[in-house]
Amino acid sequence: MSLAAAAIPPSECRRVCVALALMLGLLAAAPGLRSARAQVDPFEFEVYPYRTVGEGVAELEWLNSYVPWGHQHGEIGTSAGTLPSNQMLRTSGELTYGLTDHVEAAGYLNLARPNAGGVQYGGAKFHLRGNLFEQGELPVDIGWYVELESWPTPGIDTDPLELELKPILEKDIGRWSFILNPIFEKPVFTGPDRNRGFEFGYANGVYYRWMPRISPGLEFYGGSGFIDGFLPVQTQQHYIFAVLWGELPWGGVEYNCGPGVGLTHGSDHVITKCNLEIERFVGALL
Amino acid sequence: MKMKLILIIMEATKPVMKSAAYGVIAAMLLLAAAQPAQAANYAARIQFRHGHFEPQRLTVPARQPLTLRVVNQSRRAIEFESFKLNRERVVAPGRTITLYLPALEPGRYDFYDDFHQEVPAGEIVAQ
């Protein structure tokens, strides 16, 4: 396939436009909200690969994280709200659908259970993710990701509406996969920071394909603050996770779980994550 | 007066412009990395029909990049998957997909239909 032939055909453009219009509609319908500094997204410790789900495939994902050793105050560590991160349990349900072989759309519902508290609604997110070329067609596989995040609960996150953009870069070398997700995120529409530009963060991973049932990997997550004025290193967040990933022997359920440690004072000390996903072909909807 | 207004606008948009500059630099780096892959690929084809892959064993030259077309001639969607090759692609009925594989070391690389576990697995033999 030539590079020109790999461009998105008109039918795919139409589907992408429909999905973009939906996202813009959600943006326009969102109520006026205030803004604050965004951080690492603790509801989604996930590194996105180049590959999207295929056309007509629905994927259900359950993302979980728990902070056994965090901070006792809000707005530090993974807490972007007034509630402290220590012993915070977060869970997120994500439904992804492949609009085409190269573009997928997803919606999330976030819930959180703070220490000694009940379950709270954490917010919702919507994303579009895609790529232009076949995997392996370029020396480095390059994809894209656009996400709109709504955080209506100040206890969970004081940053009410954010736009997140991230390129996806992946390179396979033998049994190893190296994935980079640099993250550019900004509060939109309201609040004192809305004109400050983008914050920078990252979600990167190194994975070794050992066995389909179980393989090891390392994941790196972090946030450095606004691009035009990074935070002092000790107040930034940086984490390393040692993960095991693979497919469970029943039901085609895939998992990615493991503990993570914070590397700076601004990070939570220990976090655990466990993501489960299952996919089924449901057919083209558009 | 006009100059002062321009300066005020420049100052107000400075953070945005700075972010945009980073974005442009990042885009340039991405484009620089996006050079076409080497063209001298070995071409091969696998088709899926009557509930199995044909051929079930595909022999290809080792240490040469491979362009593999997978044709689904059945009436159901399949997911062509290979853990060893790190490939996973849905192929709708009647559709053809193209996979670009790097130069393979001599060995056996199994593939299967992940949507239908009863389908016999196939293998690519690089030698």
Side-chain angles (χ1 to χ4, degrees):
Chain A
M1 185 191 284
S2 70
L3 295 187
I8 298 176
S11 61
E12 289 201 17
C13 283
R14 194 167 57 242
R15 292 174 189 181
V16 173
C17 287
V18 169
L20 277 171
L22 282 172
M23 285 189 74
L24 288 172
L26 287 165
L27 259 174
L33 298 162
R34 59 202 177 77
S35 175
R37 184 174 62 82
Q39 301 180 352
V40 171
D41 182 357
F43 286 92
E44 191 178 19
F45 284 109
E46 181 172 23
V47 180
Y48 276 92
Y50 175 78
R51 189 166 56 219
T52 57
V53 302
E55 181 178 353
V57 174
E59 182 184 87
L60 193 60
E61 192 162 9
W62 187 29
L63 307 149
N64 303 283
S65 70
Y66 176 66
V67 184
W69 186 13
H71 289 273
Q72 302 292 345
H73 307 287
E75 299 190 345
I76 186 169
T78 55
S79 170
T82 53
L83 292 167
S85 62
N86 194 46
Q87 297 189 34
M88 175 86 82
L89 174 68
R90 298 178 175 94
T91 187
S92 180
E94 175 187 355
L95 181 62
T96 305
Y97 178 73
L99 299 171
T100 75
D101 280 341
H102 295 280
V103 178
E104 69 177 32
Y108 303 69
L109 181 69
N110 296 332
L111 299 172
R113 190 178 67 79
N115 184 24
V119 175
Q120 298 193 17
Y121 172 59
K125 303 192 293 183
F126 307 91
H127 87 228
L128 284 176
R129 183 165 73 102
N131 51 56
L132 293 176
F133 302 99
E134 293 295 335
Q135 187 176 6
E137 193 172 6
L138 301 176
V140 175
D141 295 315
I142 302 170
W144 55 267
Y145 182 105
V146 182
E147 183 171 85
L148 181 65
E149 304 173 351
S150 168
W151 306 103
T153 311
I156 304 298
D157 195 322
T158 52
D159 213 352
L161 197 61
E162 292 176 331
L163 179 68
E164 180 179 296
L165 309 172
K166 57 185 172 197
I168 295 168
L169 297 99
E170 179 171 342
K171 178 69 178 175
D172 290 349
I173 300 173
R175 284 173 171 257
W176 295 88
S177 289
F178 301 86
I179 306 176
L180 301 179
N181 293 176
I183 298 166
F184 301 90
E185 188 173 72
K186 103 183 270 330
V188 286
F189 291 134
T190 58
D193 291 330
R194 69 182 187 277
N195 293 324
R196 277 201 69 184
F198 285 84
E199 286 181 280
F200 177 75
Y202 60 87
N204 303 329
V206 179
Y207 304 94
Y208 181 74
R209 282 183 299 284
W210 183 39
M211 291 190 293
R213 296 279 183 237
I214 185 167
S215 292
L218 285 176
E219 294 180 348
F220 308 85
Y221 299 91
S224 302
F226 284 98
I227 289 174
D228 59 351
F230 278 170
L231 296 165
V233 172
Q234 279 306 310
T235 57
Q236 297 179 8
Q237 289 189 75
H238 298 283
Y239 301 95
I240 296 180
F241 282 75
V243 298
L244 292 175
W245 59 280
E247 187 171 322
L248 296 174
W250 61 87
V253 176
E254 295 180 13
Y255 68 93
N256 177 316
C257 303
V261 292
L263 303 178
T264 61
H265 176 72
S267 311
D268 284 337
H269 305 293
V270 178
I271 304 178
T272 58
K273 60 164 268 189
C274 194
N275 300 341
L276 302 171
E277 67 178 51
I278 188 166
E279 65 173 33
R280 290 287 182 270
F281 182 77
V282 296
L285 299 181
L286 294 176
Chain B
M1 182 65 185
K2 200 179 280 183
M3 184 59 75
K4 197 174 176 183
L5 186 64
I6 290 170
L7 285 172
I8 290 169
I9 292 171
M10 281 179 68
E11 192 60 34
T13 57
K14 200 173 163 185
V16 178
M17 297 301 286
K18 197 171 179 180
S19 295
Y22 280 106
V24 169
I25 292 167
M28 287 172 70
L29 286 171
L30 292 179
L31 284 173
Q35 296 300 312
Q38 45 189 315
N41 287 14
Y42 179 84
R45 174 188 160 108
I46 291 172
Q47 56 187 1
F48 181 83
R49 61 177 178 179
H50 306 315
H52 64 272
F53 292 102
E54 296 175 5
Q56 214 151 342
R57 176 180 293 177
L58 177 68
T59 304
V60 300
R63 300 190 181 90
Q64 186 175 347
L66 173 65
T67 300
L68 180 64
R69 292 186 199 285
V70 180
V71 184
N72 182 1
Q73 293 185 328
S74 75
R75 291 183 178 178
R76 64 188 190 191
I78 64 168
E79 186 170 53
F80 183 90
E81 182 164 345
S82 173
F83 177 77
K84 285 184 177 175
L85 297 170
N86 193 24
R87 292 294 185 274
E88 186 179 334
R89 279 291 309 272
V90 174
V91 194
R95 297 270 288 271
T96 299
I97 61 157
T98 305
L99 300 176
Y100 294 85
L101 300 174
L104 300 176
E105 290 300 313
R108 295 170 184 276
Y109 302 84
D110 62 331
F111 59 84
Y112 41 91
D113 173 9
D114 199 40
F115 286 162
H116 307 94
Q117 301 294 327
E118 73 280 7
V119 171
E123 65 177 3
I124 295 172
V125 180
Q127 59 185 30

